[in-house]
Structure formats: structure tokens, C-alpha cells
């Protein structure tokens, strides 16, 4: 990582909201460090300023970037009011396209050509959508720094070290995709770090927000604490311990899932589908874009402000245009009659263009997120690595929800539950801190077992080799999983630590290709085992002659770096694996 920087700028690229924060080396030395954040205006009120803007991108008919954030939302609404939006490309929540569940890892490989669909099903290359969004944020910050006194864009690029946040639970290909998009957006690779979102929040909480209102230190050396980052898309969970020397040790590999705040909005849509049917809702969404967007905005406001205390009923607006389509498609059926025939009867009322929900029904919108998160945390706290966890830090925008907080408090009465003042900001500020001192995270835990595909000499006609194995020339068994590190193992960040020696097949072999595999198994035997999947490959060019190559690996900046040294000549090749096909 290039060391010639004056400012660290972090971009928090969220599923629902994005923003940036920055801090110079001088400001970082102050106590506490002075970290400045982006400010956005939604344009709907006189005193509206937000630290993040919606992660929404608009492209024109020719797929040319038009706008981002609140501006893109406003422009799309204006286009829709004139019925001109159809040929435009409007992307929302596209970050979730990169979230791959464990079970999907082998089925659908993320590639550089992966496609993402916009709100109306039109597609574009995901890399273009991501890089346009990142470029917008980069340009915005560049302009701001120039307004504040820096000479020009070149000077900004020369002086800034960039950090981009990614969910900790993402797979290596997803993280690499994000990095590729950032490079395409113009962020220099040698000045770009990826920060894991909950890890950033953790850094922020212990290094600059570590004092309770009564002046006590919250996180102390030796204490194990779990960070629950509830974002719009993902719930990301890590457990850290502060070690001597004030470095963070990760206690288990990050866990979580796609249980973020947008699941609540999807559940509301699920209720509408139960009432009017999917075809009606889809027709409404296509024909009455403005009404649809307004209905979802109204829901978002209710979701954020309803606390359900004192048995509060919740009133949701349903546009007349949706009801009209429903009546047309059903020959005049009545919504109240439909409700009477569902199990929601008694919990839901339809009156004067409003749905009135009893608190118990409104709470079910949160169930997918909350049930999954609570179950995962319980599993975690029962595991040996997390048994002495006493504190749970709630960060991420969704953790502002009073419904969520109450559910977590009720589920974990034995834990101290803390939410920093600005739970969403913690990730941004922490990403800046990480940029200034990436080595503050000392140890990470491997999410998978990593290994190279290797061949091993065997005795001629060895009886112990199973019949279905691949044997080369009768002397060499191939497809062996040669383990580097195993799932659950602690690896020190930024240090070459695992070495393997491989031999050339012949003295004139001029290159060696290494195939890296991952496995969910601790000790896979063959790369063809069900638990294994190909992660990427690395080509090492070799000088003629010498026969042995020593390969060392290092986990740093959330990535795997491989160094290969030709043993006799000491020729060194360093390469990064490409995880993307
Ligand atoms: N008071 C609140 N009550 C309920 N939900 C809230 C509240 N405030 C914010 N949210 C939800 O939090 C989410 C946004 O949080 P955040 O900004 O941390 O997510 P993100 O960074 O966009 O997503 P991710 O980190 O998963 O990519 C949205 O789903 C939003 O609806
Ligand atoms: Mg986030």
C-alpha cells in the first residue's frame, strides 16, 4: 500500500444509503480525531441534511450515467410524472446482487460480466452500475476538497488514500468485484483499501466513541464484544477482543445474512400481494410509478418512526390507483371482504384509503430479519469462541429501529447492549480510522479452508488409492487439496505465514499455474470433494533450470496475496489471486 497520502477518504457504499467521510493525517492526530462526513440535501425541507444519500443510480436511454442519490430519485419521479421513465435505467438496492449465500457459491459464479436488473427489469452490466455510483461519490468528494482549498483533481488523487466498505460476510469474489468497480471508477489500486463494515464500526466504537454518557470507558482491553451491523441489505456479525497493544483480534469468522432493513419493506409488499395478488401489484408498479414510489416512501417513514409502544395502531396509505386496478381485475371485489377471508382478519382494517394494522401484525414485517439475527446470535453465544462475550454493539441504520432494539434486549437479557449515538455513521468513521491504521486489526479468522490443487507422487500401483482417483503416468495422484489454512484458523493480517514448496515437472517448464480452492470442510482430501469450489488461479513465470518454487501466502486488506520464490535463483513473483472469472 502506497504510503504517500495526506488524507484518508472512506466511501460507505450501502445497499440503501451511501456516503463518505474524510480526515487528514493532522486531523487524525487530534484527540479525538476530526472526521468530516458528506452532507446531502433531499430537497424536501428547509433544514434537511443527511450524512448519506440513497444508493440509487439513474442512466438515460443510452445507458449514460445521469444522476445518483436524492437527485436521481427526484429526476426519476419527474420523468415518471410525464410518463417518460420507461426507457431510462433506474437502479436501487443493486448491492445485494453481490451477496452470495454459502449454498450459491458453487452454482453461480460472479463474473466481471455479471448483469444486474433495474426496477423495471432492464439489464446492464453490474460493473458499470457499481463503478458509476462509486465514481459519483469520488467526484463529489474531489469537488468538495477543491472547494476547501486543494488545487485540482490531480492533487486530490495524489494525496488521498481511499477506503471502500464491504460487508464482512461477502465472499472473496464479491469483495474483488467491488474493488474492480472502484478501480474502474478511477480509484488508484495502490491507494485503495477495503474495510469490512462491522470491523470498521468496531474500530470506531473502541477508538473514538468509547465513553458512556457518565464518563466510563465502555470497551476495555481484554473484553470480548460482538458487533451487530444491521444495514439495509445485510446483517453482519463479528466478535472482537482488544489485545495488548490496542489491536483488534477477530474471535470468529464473520456471520450473518441478507436480513437487513429492506426485508421489512419486502414483507409489506408481501402483505399487499396477499391482499390484491402479485399480478395486480406488478401492474400497479409499472403503470403508476409515482404512486408506487410514494406508497413505499410512506411505508419507509412509518417503519422508521413507529415504536409500537402503548399498543399503537399503524396507518398505511394505499393509493386509489392500486385499489382501482384491483377492482378492475377482480370484477369489483372489495378489499374489506378480502381481509375478512384471510388469517389477518381482526388485525387489519381497510378504511378511507388506509390500511390500519394492529401492532402485532406490523411487527411481523420485522420477523424475517429479527428471527434470523436472534437465532444466529444465540448460536454464536453458545459457541466456545464467544462464550465470554458480555457486550453487544448495535450499529448500522436499521439498528435505530425501536422495534429491533426491544427484540434484541428481550432476547439477550444477560448482555450489555450498546448503541452508539449515530449507529450508521460508526461504519463510515471506522472506515476512515482503518485507512489511517490498517494494522489495528491484528488477527482474522478464516471463513474457509484454502488450498492449492496439487499432485503427489505415489508408489506404482499403490493399493490404498481409491479406484476413482486421477492418476498421472501411474506415478502421480492429482486433484489433491493441499491445505494452506483451515476454516476457523486465526491468521495474522499483513504477514506471509504459510509456505508450500512445489516442483517443476521439467527444468524447461517456463510457467506454473496454481489453482486455489476453498472448502467449507476443515480437512478436504481432494479438490473434487463436494465441499470444495475453485476460487481462482495464479500464473507464475519461472526462469529456466531450477526445479523448486516456494509459495507463501498472506491475508491482508481482506485479500489473499501470494508470493512465489524460485528457490535457487531467489527470483520473486508476487501476485494477487483473481477470484473473478
Ligand atoms: N429508525 C429506523 N427504524 C427502522 N429502520 C431504520 C431506521 N433508520 C434507518 N432504518 C433502516 O436502516 C437501513 C439503512 O441502514 P444503513 O444505512 O446502515 O444501511 P446500508 O449501509 O444502506 O446497507 P448495507 O450496509 O446492508 O449495505 C434501511 O433499511 C432503513 O430503512
Ligand atoms: Mg452499511
Amino acid at each position: 500500500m502506497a504510503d504517500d497520502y495526506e488524507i484518508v477518504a472512506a466511501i460507505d457504499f450501502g445497499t440503501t444509503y451511501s456516503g463518505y467521510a474524510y480526515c487528514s493525517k493532522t486531523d487524525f492526530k487530534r484527540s479525538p480525531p476530526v472526521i468530516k462526513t458528506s452532507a446531502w440535501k433531499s430537497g424536501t425541507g428547509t433544514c434537511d441534511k443527511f450524512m448519506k444519500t440513497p444508493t440509487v443510480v439513474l442512466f438515460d436511454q443510452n445507458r449514460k450515467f445521469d444522476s445518483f442519490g436524492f437527485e436521481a430519485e427526484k429526476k426519476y419521479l419527474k420523468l415518471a410524472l410525464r410518463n417518460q421513465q420507461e426507457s431510462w435505467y433506474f437502479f436501487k438496492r443493486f448491492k445485494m446482487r453481490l451477496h452470495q449465500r454459502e449454498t450459491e457459491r458453487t452454482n453461480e459464479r460472479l463474473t466481471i460480466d455479471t448483469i444486474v436488473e433495474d426496477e423495471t427489469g432492464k439489464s446492464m452490466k453490474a460493473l458499470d452500475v457499481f463503478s458509476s455510483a462509486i465514481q459519483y461519490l469520488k467526484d463529489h468528494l474531489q469537488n468538495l476538497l477543491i472547494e476547501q482549498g486543494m488545487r485540482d483533481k490531480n492533487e486530490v488523487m495524489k494525496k488521498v488514500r481511499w477506503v471502500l466498505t464491504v460487508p464482512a460476510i461477502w465472499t472473496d469474489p464479491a469483495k474483488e468485484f467491488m474493488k474492480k468497480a472502484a478501480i474502474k471508477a478511477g480509484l488508484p489500486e495502490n491507494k485503495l483499501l477495503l474495510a469490512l463494515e462491522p470491523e470498521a464500526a468496531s474500530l470506531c466504537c473502541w477508538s473514538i466513541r468509547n465513553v458512556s454518557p457518565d464518563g466510563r470507558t465502555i470497551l476495555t482491553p481484554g473484553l470480548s464484544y460482538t458487533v451487530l451491523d444491521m444495514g439495509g441489505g445485510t446483517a453482519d456479525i463479528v466478535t472482537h477482543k482488544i489485545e495488548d497493544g490496542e489491536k483488534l483480534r477477530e474471535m470468529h469468522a464473520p456471520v450473518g445474512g441478507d436480513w437487513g432493513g429492506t426485508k421489512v419493506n419486502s414483507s409489506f409488499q408481501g402483505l399487499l400481494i396477499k391482499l390484491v395478488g402479485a399480478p395486480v401489484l406488478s401492474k400497479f408498479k409499472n403503470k403508476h410509478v409515482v404512486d408506487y414510489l410514494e406508497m413505499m416512501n410512506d411505508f419507509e417513514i412509518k417503519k422508521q418512526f413507529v415504536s409500537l409502544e402503548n399498543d399503537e395502531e399503524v396507518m398505511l396509505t394505499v393509493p386509489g390507483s392500486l385499489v382501482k386496478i384491483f377492482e378492475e381485475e377482480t370484477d369489483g371485489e372489495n378489499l374489506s371482504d378480502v381481509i375478512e377471508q384471510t388469517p389477518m382478519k381482526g388485525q387489519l382494517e381497510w378504511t378511507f384509503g388506509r390500511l390500519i394494522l394492529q401492532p402485532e401484525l406490523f411487527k411481523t414485517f420485522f420477523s424475517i430479519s429479527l428471527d434470523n439475527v436472534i437465532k444466529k446470535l444465540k448460536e454464536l453465544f453458545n459457541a466456545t469462541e464467544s462464550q465470554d462475550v458480555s457486550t453487544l454493539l448495535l450499529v448500522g441504520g436499521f439498528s435505530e429501529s425501536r422495534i429491533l432494539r426491544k427484540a434484541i434486549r428481550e432476547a439477550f437479557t444477560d448482555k450489555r447492549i450498546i448503541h452508539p449515538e449515530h449507529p450508521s455513521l460508526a461504519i463510515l468513521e471506522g472506515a476512515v480510522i482503518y485507512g489511517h491504521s490498517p494494522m489495528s486489526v491484528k488477527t482474522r479468522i478464516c471463513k474457509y479452508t484454502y488450498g492449492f490443487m496439487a499432485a503427489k507422487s505415489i508408489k506404482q500401483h499403490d493399493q490404498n488409492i481409491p479406484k476413482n482417483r486421477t492418476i498421472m503416468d501411474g506415478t502421480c495422484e492429482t486433484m489433491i487439496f493441499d491445505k494452506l489454512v483451515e476454516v476457523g484458523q486465526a491468521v495474522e493480517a499483513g504477514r506471509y505465514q504459510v509456505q508450500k514448496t512445489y516442483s517443476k515437472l521439467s527444468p524447461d517448464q517456463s510457467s506454473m499455474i496454481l489453482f486455489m480452492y476453498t472448502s467449507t470442510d476443515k480437512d478436504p482430501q481432494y479438490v473434487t470433494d463436494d465441499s470444495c469450489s475453485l476460487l481462482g488461479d495464479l500464473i507464475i513465470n519461472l526462469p529456466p533450470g531450477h526445479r523448486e518454487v516456494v509459495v507463501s501466502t498472506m491475508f491482508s486488506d481482506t485479500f489473499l496475496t501470494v508470493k512465489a520464490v524460485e528457490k535457487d535463483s531467489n527470483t520473486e513473483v508476487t501476485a494477487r489471486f483473481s477470484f473473478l472469472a
Side-chain angles (χ1 to χ4, degrees), residues 496-523:
Y496 283 104
Q497 57 188 140
V498 193
Q499 287 202 343
K500 291 273 171 189
T501 304
Y502 296 109
S503 305
K504 282 182 175 185
L505 292 174
S506 70
D508 46 332
Q509 184 184 342
S510 59
S511 65
M512 186 182 270
I513 179 159
L514 292 173
F515 292 98
M516 163 80 71
Y517 279 80
T518 57
S519 171
T520 45
D521 207 0
K522 244 183 170 26
D523 220 356

Side-chain angles (χ1 to χ4, degrees), residues 208-335:
I208 63 171
R209 300 209 178 270
N210 198 7
V211 185
S212 66
D214 59 358
R216 277 178 306 132
T217 305
I218 302 169
L219 307 173
T220 47
L223 178 99
S224 289
Y225 58 97
T226 296
V227 183
L228 169 61
D229 173 11
M230 293 301 290
T234 43
D236 238 358
I237 307 166
V238 296
T239 300
H240 284 152
K241 190 179 215 163
I242 304 163
E243 303 233 294
D244 317 335
E246 308 227 304
K247 287 183 180 243
L248 289 187
R249 167 181 281 271
E250 191 177 84
M251 303 303 286
H252 61 81
V255 289
D258 54 344
W259 312 317
T262 53
K263 275 279 182 277
V264 181
N265 307 48
S266 316
S267 297
F268 166 54
Q269 294 206 23
L271 174 120
L272 290 177
I273 289 173
K274 277 188 201 146
L275 293 181
V276 301
V280 168
L281 188 65
S282 155
K283 193 167 176 186
F284 163 68
K285 198 173 160 184
N286 292 330
K287 285 186 87 173
H288 299 276
V289 177
V290 177
D291 287 354
Y292 170 74
L293 292 174
E294 280 178 0
M295 176 182 81
M296 291 314 291
N297 276 345
D298 174 69
F299 178 78
E300 179 65 32
I301 293 166
K302 298 283 162 40
K303 166 191 165 187
Q304 295 201 15
F305 293 99
V306 165
S307 69
L308 299 187
E309 272 146 29
N310 309 321
D311 280 340
E312 178 190 5
E313 290 177 331
V314 186
M315 206 162 64
L316 299 173
T317 310
V318 175
S321 50
L322 172 59
V323 182
K324 195 160 169 261
I325 295 180
F326 169 70
E327 286 170 354
E328 281 165 9
E329 299 281 322
T330 56
D331 286 335
E333 257 190 64
N334 185 299
L335 268 184

Side-chain angles (χ1 to χ4, degrees), residues 12-15 17 52 95 197 229 231-232 427:
D12 179 6
F13 189 87
T15 308
Y17 300 99
K52 299 216 275 180
K95 183 180 169 193
E197 287 162 11
D229 173 11
I427 294 139

